[in-house]
Amino acid sequence: MDCVHRMELERTPQYPRPKFRDDRIFLQEATLHELFAQDFGVVQLLPPGARTIKIMGLPRGNPDLVCMRAQGRFDDPTAVLFPIEIKRPIRLRSDNLVEDYTRQWQSGGEQGPVGPVRQIFGYMRLNGFRYGVLTTYEEIWFIKRTMQHTNDLVVSPTISSSGTGPTLLQCYLWFIRQAHDDEWMLDTSDVAQNRAIPYEGLSQSFRLASLASDIATSKPAWLSYMLHIGGLTFCGDSKKLQIPNLVAAERFGNATLDRLKLRLEDVHLAFQNIVSSGSVRQALALYKRTMEIRDVGDSDFKKTEENHRDSFHYALLGNSHPALRKIGLETHITKVT
C-alpha cells in the first residue's frame, strides 16, 4: 500500500474532517451496509465523485454495495467500479487475510476468511471486474485481480478504521481512483461460455406437477427446480443457465464429490501431481472411479473417445472444485499430437 502514502493532499483542508460516531449499535448486517454507505460515501465530494450505494444487483450476483461512477446509470454494468461485500466483525477478523485464508483452506475449518473471499471474488470474476472490497467496517481489504481471464488475486494489508498512516478514507479514495483510471475491460465472455447450460427447449417439456416425481430422473424438472431455488440463473439474455456465484459452485462441487464417492484430498493430490510432474495417472484413476458410478446406462457404453476426453476435461480440469482454485495450482496443459 505504499502508493497510498504518496497520494497528494492539499495542506489547507477544503472539507471538514469526517467523524465516525462510536455510539451506534447494530444487530443486523443490513445496518452495517447503511453505515458504510453513509460514512464512506463522503468521498463522493472529492474527484472523481464516485458513489457508494446499494443497487438491485449485478448481472451475476447481488453484492451488499457497489461503488459507481459519478454519472453512471444503474442498468449499465460498465458504470460499476467495484463490488463491496460486508461482513459482521464477529464473522471476520484478520490481521493477515492471505495467511488466515491459506491456514483455513489447508485445515478445512468453517470459521474464517475463505467463504467471504470466495464470495467477493465471485462477484468480481463472474461480472468481469478487476477490483473489489471486503470489509467489516472496522477492517477493510482491497482486492485486485492481476490479469484478465484468470483467478489470481492480490490483497492489501488489513486497514483498520482507527488507522492514521494512511487513514481508511484515504485508502478508499485512492482505491476508487485506481479503479476509475484503470482501462480494464470487463471479461465476462469466457465465464458465460464455460459455465452456460443449454436451457432452450427444456422449459416446454417441463410441468410444475413433474416436481413431485420426476425431479430425480427428469433433466428438465431438475434444471427448472434449480432455477427456481436460485442454484442456477439465466446467462444474460440468452436461453442458457449458469452457476450464479462461487458459493453455489462449491455446493455443486461438494454434492458431486459426495455422489461419486470422491474425497477432496484425493482430487487435490491429483492436481498437485499434474502441476509438479505432469503425471495424470491419479487424475485418470479418479475419472475411472467416476465412470464406474456415473456410466451405468446403455447409452453410456456408446460414448466415444472424444466424449471421455471432453468429460475428463470438464469434470476434473476445466471445472475444478472451487477449493482447489488457488495460486500455483492451475497450469496450462498442451495437447500431444
Side-chain angles (χ1 to χ4, degrees):
M1 301 293 291
D2 294 338
C3 294
V4 178
H5 291 277
R6 294 197 297 267
M7 183 172 65
E8 297 181 1
L9 298 175
E10 295 289 343
R11 292 183 177 273
T12 303
Q14 298 182 17
Y15 305 93
R17 177 179 293 274
K19 297 181 179 180
F20 293 162
R21 293 173 52 190
D22 56 6
D23 60 343
R24 292 175 294 189
I25 299 176
F26 66 89
L27 299 177
Q28 298 180 346
E29 187 177 299
T31 308
L32 270 182
H33 303 172
E34 299 175 3
L35 295 179
F36 189 94
Q38 174 184 338
D39 291 343
F40 289 79
V42 297
V43 299
Q44 180 179 350
L45 301 174
L46 300 173
R51 298 173 291 168
T52 302
I53 58 176
K54 175 69 176 179
I55 62 174
M56 294 303 294
L58 298 173
R60 299 176 181 87
N62 186 26
D64 296 328
L65 299 172
V66 298
C67 183
M68 294 187 64
R69 300 180 189 275
Q71 305 300 325
R73 302 196 319 269
F74 294 109
D75 58 347
D76 182 9
T78 62
V80 177
L81 294 175
F82 51 81
I84 303 169
E85 185 60 28
I86 303 175
K87 298 299 181 185
R88 291 183 297 169
I90 195 174
R91 290 194 56 194
L92 178 62
R93 190 177 298 276
S94 174
D95 293 330
N96 190 313
L97 194 71
V98 175
E99 290 184 359
D100 290 342
Y101 179 97
T102 303
R103 188 180 302 109
Q104 183 194 354
W105 183 88
Q106 292 175 344
S107 64
E110 296 182 359
Q111 187 71 19
V114 169
V117 170
R118 289 178 184 171
Q119 187 174 5
I120 185 61
F121 170 71
Y123 295 139
M124 295 165 59
R125 179 69 175 89
L126 294 178
N127 292 282
F129 299 124
R130 186 174 197 181
Y131 299 90
V133 167
L134 178 62
T135 181
T136 63
Y137 187 91
E138 294 181 354
E139 297 177 331
I140 193 169
W141 299 270
F142 300 100
I143 302 173
K144 176 182 176 181
R145 293 170 57 201
T146 57
M147 296 178 61
Q148 289 181 322
H149 311 297
T150 65
N151 298 334
D152 294 345
L153 297 174
V154 290
V155 181
S156 75
T158 301
I159 308 298
S160 172
S161 60
S162 60
T164 58
T167 67
L168 196 153
L169 284 180
Q170 280 181 302
C171 295
Y172 189 61
L173 179 58
W174 172 83
F175 197 68
I176 289 175
R177 290 174 175 174
Q178 289 290 110
H180 183 272
D181 296 338
D182 200 319
E183 297 181 355
W184 176 276
M185 299 296 293
L186 296 182
D187 61 334
T188 58
S189 58
D190 62 324
V191 177
Q193 292 174 0
N194 289 340
R195 301 195 176 195
I197 303 172
Y199 185 71
E200 190 172 10
L202 291 176
S203 56
Q204 287 77 10
S205 60
F206 170 71
R207 298 293 181 270
L208 189 60
S210 302
L211 289 178
S213 59
D214 293 343
I215 189 172
T217 58
S218 170
K219 183 177 180 180
W222 184 83
L223 287 176
S224 297
Y225 176 70
M226 295 304 298
L227 179 64
H228 173 71
I229 64 174
L232 296 171
T233 187
F234 280 108
C235 177
D237 298 328
S238 65
K239 293 295 184 179
K240 293 184 177 181
L241 300 178
Q242 65 179 7
I243 299 175
N245 50 54
L246 287 184
V247 175
E250 182 171 343
R251 291 173 179 170
F252 275 108
N254 288 329
T256 302
L257 290 173
D258 183 67
R259 171 69 177 85
L260 300 176
K261 296 180 173 57
L262 298 176
R263 298 190 311 162
L264 185 60
E265 294 79 6
D266 295 334
V267 182
H268 182 195
L269 182 59
F271 270 77
Q272 291 286 17
N273 285 339
I274 294 176
V275 173
S276 61
S277 65
S279 173
V280 297
R281 182 181 298 275
Q282 286 184 290
L284 289 175
L286 294 177
Y287 183 70
K288 177 178 178 292
R289 191 186 310 174
T290 300
M291 292 172 56
E292 293 172 349
I293 299 176
R294 183 195 63 187
D295 300 338
V296 294
D298 293 337
S299 60
D300 294 319
F301 294 100
K302 300 178 182 179
K303 290 182 177 179
T304 64
E305 181 178 338
E306 287 74 17
N307 294 142
H308 287 292
R309 176 202 64 194
D310 295 341
S311 179
F312 176 77
H313 173 267
Y314 288 111
L316 292 176
L317 299 181
N319 289 306
S320 62
H321 190 284
L324 300 178
R325 295 174 183 165
K326 67 173 186 175
I327 297 177
L329 190 57
E330 295 186 358
T331 185
H332 294 285
I333 300 177
T334 304
K335 179 181 178 182
V336 179
T337 57

